Amino acid sequence: MNVKTLKIKEVLIINSDKHKDERGWFQETYHLQKFLDRDINHTFVQDNLVYSNKNVLRGLHANKKQGQGKLVSCIKGKIFDVAVDLRPDSNTYKQWVGYFLTEDDSNFLYIPRGFAHGYSVESEDALVNYKCTEIYNPDEEFGIIWDDPDINIAWPQNSYIISERDKKNMYFKELKL
C-alpha cells in the first residue's frame, strides 16, 4: 500500500496493488493495521455502493458536528472526485482538491472528517464504493452547491445531471460552520 498526499495534505491517494492472473485480479481494499501504520486512525463503520449514469454529479455533501471521513474507490468507469476543506481553523479552509479515480487504477481517495465531498461521472456510467467513518444521519447532512463561485471547483464539464435535492444545496457564504 502506497500513500500520496495531495495539495491538501490530509486528503490522500492510497494505492493498493491489484494482483492479476489468468483468473482476473484481487485487491485489498482495507487493512486496519496498514492504515494505522500510516496514521490513518479511523475505523470505517458503513459501506455505500452507488451506480450513476454519465454526466451525473453528486454533492457536495458534508456533515455537521463530528463529520464523516470517507474512503472512495471507483469500481467501474471514471469519476472526478472532489474534497472541499470546511475546517475554519485550517490553512486550506475553503480550498478544494480533485482527483480522477478509474476502474483501471488501484487508487482510493481518503477524505478525512471536516470536508465536503462530491464527484462527477466522466464515463458512460460508474460504480463507486465508499467507506464511511460514521453511520449516515440525514439530520446531520448538508450540502454546498456544486458550482459555488466562492469555491470555484474546476469540474471537467460545465453541465451535469443533478438531483433535485442537490440543486437546493447552499452557497458557501450561507453556511454557519
Side-chain angles (χ1 to χ4, degrees):
M1 183 168 88
N2 298 310
V3 178
K4 177 175 89 171
T5 59
L6 296 176
K7 73 176 184 176
I8 299 175
K9 66 179 181 175
E10 297 87 355
V11 179
L12 307 172
I13 294 298
I14 299 170
N15 181 274
S16 176
D17 291 333
K18 288 182 178 174
H19 304 280
K20 299 177 183 179
D21 64 21
E22 66 279 356
R23 300 169 296 161
W25 54 265
F26 168 85
Q27 181 180 29
E28 190 174 84
T29 60
Y30 176 70
H31 188 289
L32 176 61
Q33 190 58 53
K34 288 179 182 178
F35 273 57
L36 292 173
D37 291 346
R38 286 161 179 83
D39 294 323
I40 304 169
N41 193 12
H42 297 289
T43 302
F44 297 97
V45 297
Q46 179 177 326
D47 275 24
N48 299 315
L49 188 61
V50 184
Y51 176 83
S52 301
N53 295 314
K54 183 176 185 153
N55 300 326
V56 165
L57 188 142
R58 295 181 180 267
L60 300 162
H61 301 144
N63 294 79
K64 302 172 192 170
K65 296 182 186 170
Q66 64 195 19
Q68 189 181 52
K70 296 178 180 171
L71 183 65
V72 184
S73 64
C74 184
I75 298 169
K76 179 180 188 264
K78 178 180 181 180
I79 64 169
F80 182 65
D81 206 352
V82 173
V84 178
D85 192 344
L86 300 181
R87 303 168 300 165
D89 297 333
S90 168
N91 62 357
T92 56
Y93 178 63
K94 204 165 72 169
Q95 293 181 29
W96 66 274
V97 62
Y99 194 85
F100 285 100
L101 295 172
T102 74
E103 66 185 272
D104 297 324
D105 63 31
S106 301
N107 294 325
F108 298 82
L109 184 67
Y110 171 70
I111 304 166
R113 294 177 174 135
F115 285 77
H117 173 246
Y119 63 88
S120 62
V121 177
E122 302 300 324
S123 55
E124 285 303 311
D125 57 4
L127 188 58
V128 175
N129 186 74
Y130 59 97
K131 297 179 163 309
C132 301
T133 60
E134 298 295 329
I135 300 295
Y136 174 72
N137 180 347
D139 296 331
E140 290 293 310
E141 185 178 47
F142 66 93
I144 301 168
I145 198 76
W146 71 281
D147 60 351
D148 189 317
D150 287 337
I151 301 171
N152 200 27
I153 297 170
W155 295 100
Q157 300 177 51
N158 294 322
S159 178
Y160 287 100
I161 300 165
I162 300 169
S163 72
E164 289 304 313
R165 186 180 113 202
D166 283 351
K167 287 178 184 177
K168 297 174 185 172
N169 285 346
M170 296 181 281
Y171 285 92
F172 194 89
K173 63 186 173 190
E174 299 172 311
L175 295 179
K176 294 175 177 64
L177 299 175

